[in-house]
Amino acid sequence: MTNKAPMTMTQKILAAHAGLDFVHPGQFIEAGLDVCLANDITGPPAALEFEKMGGGDVFDCTKVVLTPDHFTPNKDIQAASLSKALREFAKEKGIVNYYEVGQVGIEHAFLPEQGLVTAGDVVIGGDSHTCTYGALGAFSTGVGATDVAGGMALGKSWFRVPSAIRFVLRGKPGEWVSGKDVILSIIGRIGVDGALYQSMEFAGDGVAALSMDDRFTIANMAIEAGAKNGIFPVDTRTREYLAAHPCTAPGMEKHPREFAADEDAAYDSVVEIDLSALRPTVAFPSLPGNTKTIDEAAALSVKIDQAVIGSCTNGRFSDMETAARILKGRKVADGVRCIIVPATQQIYLDCVRKGCAEIFVEAGCVFSPPTCGPCMGGHMGVLAEGERAVSTTNRNFVGRMGHTRSEVYLASPAVAAASAVTGVLTDPGTLV
Amino acid sequence: MGKAYKYGDNVDTDVIIPARYLNLIEPADLSKHAMEDIDADFVRTVKPGDVIVAGSNFGSGSSREQAPIVLKESGLAAVIAPSFARIFYRNAFNIGFPILESREAASAIEAGDEIEIDFAGGVIANRTKGETYQAEPLPEFMRGLIESGGLVDYVKARR
């Protein structure tokens, strides 16, 4: 009997952070945290729970990150009160990584951009899309406010070690097929609880064909398959990204640690994905797993009232460039509103400097500052009864973007931009 | 004892408590909107001790702890489902709101059935049909978390 047993990438990161040589699926462990994150919706209740846990100092004032990004710039008085509570908590606890409106971006685009998360980290965040950082080879997962409070107090959190599904990616995606199409087609295949309690571990030669932005989008929506986390192996592209995005926060040093799954690690199942066979994919109401290819969708002539391009899923600069490529010299269709939301101030600035902003405004789009607003029906594009949106966000649940009888179709920036131009769900390949 | 509300698979946190109300922080204010996007009558008719019986993947979607909070605040005794989304599952334990995994109970119980739960033994009794169902036993760690009074007390004791 040996105490060495093969582990998945996720299991190795968790074991290292729990001070253990080996962990097995189902085991309860306590792991140290590199980052504990909250926003303007989850931070204020976490602050209340933190005081109930005895208050005092947070475990490390550089490792708590607070991002007022959801209802900001404040949409109403109650939202302003939440932001104020978050700001006061940050000030009282001396939290270094509190980012005010004007600096802050949508958290899951912002943290990697600012180098606040690196390979090998363990991150919990009071936001379900915290799983995004798996793109960097980190273990990251969403939790509720009380868990955030516990993380801020102890610098540790309990986890049940997950088993994993291995997704072997092969080949290269075709033109207009992006990370969004990869993850939507996977969720369509395995279902919205297809990876419940499990890790989604990506592997195969197809990984190298995916940009970091594609990987962020894919890891971001692991939660939409019920997963605890989604994670990519660390490769040249990861290392280049990390080198280009150093952490400059005062007193916070980040040291990437590369973990790789053992060759003989056990997986609950293995799913092969041929990237070259994928088509742009759209999730119809009201589940992210309710997918059709753009060819099936376009044949249905689905009229839209609004297109939203942005969010933690698809608000990165490459998403903006894709939208600009399609919108350049064109106009948004009559009767359609197109709302474009770059995810961070840096991306906003890049859009201005590199000409995307001008293209958007000339095409008749709204060009918004960073905010999560429209994704969950908060502000900046709420839908009325009977209205229909194509959106690059991550959820199309009943009432997600507004009225319970409004509809959301999830798609890539290319599909959303092409649909904004025609007014119906459109294959970008037929437009350009 | 209370009556059962019955819902389907993948009841998500956006219908349990829509994001448009997350600018509120008091449980009493939030709970006025519990379940309203899936069941407009829920808030008006729910009574202390009632239970929600649902399909698989209950609580899918966002990490908002406000979801189990509004169900607890509504007076519900528990949610029974074959499976729960993992963040909802974790949040429910952390705030001390009971959830029970039972495929058998979730399929046998009908809307309006009178349900009584023995939490210590995980036994769900359907008084209307005269049946009982056994819920999945809790992992030892989760039992310990409940016995120590939820995550707040668990953390407090360790600081």
Side-chain angles (χ1 to χ4, degrees):
Chain A
M1 193 60 192
T2 166
N3 61 7
K4 171 85 180 95
M7 288 187 281
T8 67
M9 186 171 172
T10 298
Q11 289 160 5
K12 280 191 171 176
I13 295 174
L14 286 173
H17 282 73
L20 300 169
D21 293 331
F22 171 69
V23 294
H24 59 81
Q27 183 179 354
F28 283 85
I29 59 156
E30 201 167 57
L33 303 176
D34 297 293
V35 172
C36 182
L37 167 71
N39 58 46
D40 52 312
I41 289 180
T42 56
L48 294 177
E49 297 305 307
F50 182 83
E51 295 308 320
K52 287 186 206 161
M53 290 168 177
D57 291 334
V58 299
F59 80 105
D60 183 333
C61 65
T62 68
K63 291 184 177 173
V64 174
V65 179
L66 300 176
T67 52
D69 57 357
H70 273 61
F71 288 154
T72 56
N74 301 136
K75 79 179 182 91
D76 57 24
I77 295 167
Q78 287 103 324
S81 306
L82 289 181
S83 284
K84 188 179 173 195
L86 188 72
R87 188 177 299 117
E88 286 173 351
F89 178 78
K91 194 170 177 192
E92 185 194 324
K93 304 299 178 191
I95 287 167
V96 175
N97 289 304
Y98 168 80
Y99 294 91
E100 192 51 87
V101 171
Q103 305 172 301
V104 77
I106 296 175
E107 50 196 329
H108 309 309
F110 183 74
L111 268 67
E113 177 191 272
Q114 297 296 316
L116 299 172
V117 180
T118 193
D121 274 1
V122 167
V123 179
I124 62 167
D127 188 278
S128 59
H129 294 105
T130 302
C131 52
T132 308
Y133 316 127
L136 295 172
F139 170 82
S140 59
T141 195
V143 296
T146 303
D147 269 320
V148 168
M152 291 195 298
L154 299 177
K156 291 187 276 192
S157 196
W158 67 266
F159 299 99
R160 188 165 98 175
V161 175
S163 59
I165 303 176
R166 188 169 197 244
F167 292 86
V168 181
L169 311 181
R170 300 282 182 216
K172 286 184 182 168
E175 201 187 13
W176 305 117
V177 174
S178 67
K180 185 61 160 287
D181 305 299
V182 175
I183 189 64
L184 284 176
S185 61
I186 287 174
I187 300 166
R189 188 160 152 187
I190 69 171
V192 293
D193 60 354
L196 199 60
Y197 303 123
Q198 295 163 299
S199 301
M200 296 172 76
E201 297 213 345
F202 297 94
D205 59 44
V207 169
L210 298 172
S211 70
M212 287 309 295
D213 285 0
D214 285 327
R215 299 181 200 182
F216 283 123
T217 303
I218 292 168
N220 173 273
M221 288 188 70
I223 180 69
E224 263 54 73
K228 183 170 197 136
N229 69 313
I231 197 163
F232 278 85
V234 175
D235 66 6
T236 310
R237 283 197 174 178
T238 324
R239 291 178 205 113
E240 284 171 1
Y241 181 94
L242 291 171
H245 296 86
C247 177
T248 56
M252 192 188 201
E253 283 186 32
K254 301 298 291 187
H255 302 285
R257 287 175 73 188
E258 295 185 14
F259 293 85
D262 287 317
E263 295 270 321
D264 51 350
Y267 296 92
D268 292 341
S269 59
V270 177
V271 179
E272 299 257 352
I273 308 280
D274 177 3
L275 297 177
S276 68
L278 297 181
R279 292 284 297 142
T281 300
V282 181
F284 277 48
S286 301
L287 280 178
N290 188 19
T291 56
K292 295 184 196 296
T293 65
I294 190 62
D295 313 290
E296 295 165 329
L300 298 171
S301 300
V302 180
K303 260 179 69 65
I304 57 154
D305 302 288
Q306 181 167 296
V308 173
I309 301 170
S311 82
C312 61
T313 311
N314 277 125
R316 296 180 181 81
F317 186 64
S318 62
D319 300 315
M320 300 291 117
E321 281 185 314
T322 300
R325 188 177 154 200
I326 288 168
L327 290 163
K328 187 173 186 177
R330 295 194 169 91
K331 294 278 182 200
V332 171
D334 279 348
V336 174
R337 294 99 60 184
C338 182
I339 299 165
I340 301 186
V341 191
T344 67
Q345 291 287 85
Q346 183 60 52
I347 298 166
Y348 187 98
L349 194 55
D350 287 344
C351 285
V352 171
R353 285 180 176 157
K354 296 179 184 176
C356 299
E358 199 173 326
I359 291 168
F360 297 151
V361 174
E362 285 184 347
C365 304
V366 171
F367 185 56
S368 159
T371 179
C372 305
C375 173
M376 69 317 182
H379 61 152
M380 283 300 294
V382 177
L383 298 175
E385 180 172 7
E387 288 192 326
R388 214 178 255 158
V390 60
S391 179
T392 70
T393 52
N394 41 56
R395 292 194 175 125
N396 56 354
F397 300 152
V398 169
R400 173 73 178 180
M401 291 182 81
H403 197 279
T404 52
R405 281 189 290 277
S406 61
E407 293 182 342
V408 180
Y409 294 72
L410 301 176
S412 68
V415 169
S419 306
V421 168
T422 61
V424 293
L425 288 181
T426 296
D427 175 1
T430 62
L431 199 66
V432 177
Chain B
M1 191 145 81
K3 68 178 182 302
Y5 286 82
K6 188 101 192 245
Y7 304 107
D9 290 343
N10 305 311
V11 172
D12 63 73
T13 54
D14 276 280
V15 297
I16 297 171
I17 179 68
R20 60 183 175 275
Y21 301 121
L22 297 181
N23 54 359
L24 305 171
I25 197 163
E26 291 299 328
D29 297 333
L30 285 157
S31 68
K32 288 175 190 157
H33 306 286
M35 306 298 285
E36 76 174 30
D37 280 2
I38 193 176
D39 181 355
D41 294 332
F42 177 83
V43 168
R44 196 172 45 78
T45 58
V46 68
K47 293 195 173 58
D50 287 350
V51 297
I52 282 180
V53 180
S56 61
N57 199 26
F58 185 91
S60 55
S62 114
S63 69
R64 65 191 69 154
E65 198 166 278
Q66 290 89 339
I69 285 173
V70 297
L71 300 181
K72 186 181 183 188
E73 183 73 15
S74 300
L76 284 182
V79 177
I80 301 165
S83 63
F84 290 85
R86 58 159 289 281
I87 308 179
F88 182 91
Y89 181 91
R90 203 176 159 115
N91 287 345
F93 279 96
N94 285 343
I95 67 154
F97 177 64
I99 56 177
L100 296 165
E101 288 183 311
S102 170
R103 186 165 294 281
E104 191 192 1
S107 79
I109 295 171
E110 292 179 70
D113 285 359
E114 289 289 334
I115 305 299
E116 195 169 348
I117 301 169
D118 164 21
F119 287 103
V123 178
I124 302 160
N126 185 336
R127 298 297 178 210
T128 305
K129 290 187 166 171
E131 295 172 348
T132 59
Y133 324 101
Q134 181 65 49
E136 294 290 326
L138 291 180
E140 196 182 322
F141 179 87
M142 305 302 288
R143 272 207 309 277
L145 198 57
I146 290 177
E147 280 159 16
S148 67
L151 191 72
V152 167
D153 289 337
Y154 173 87
V155 171
K156 205 171 170 179
R158 295 162 59 88
R159 290 189 83 189

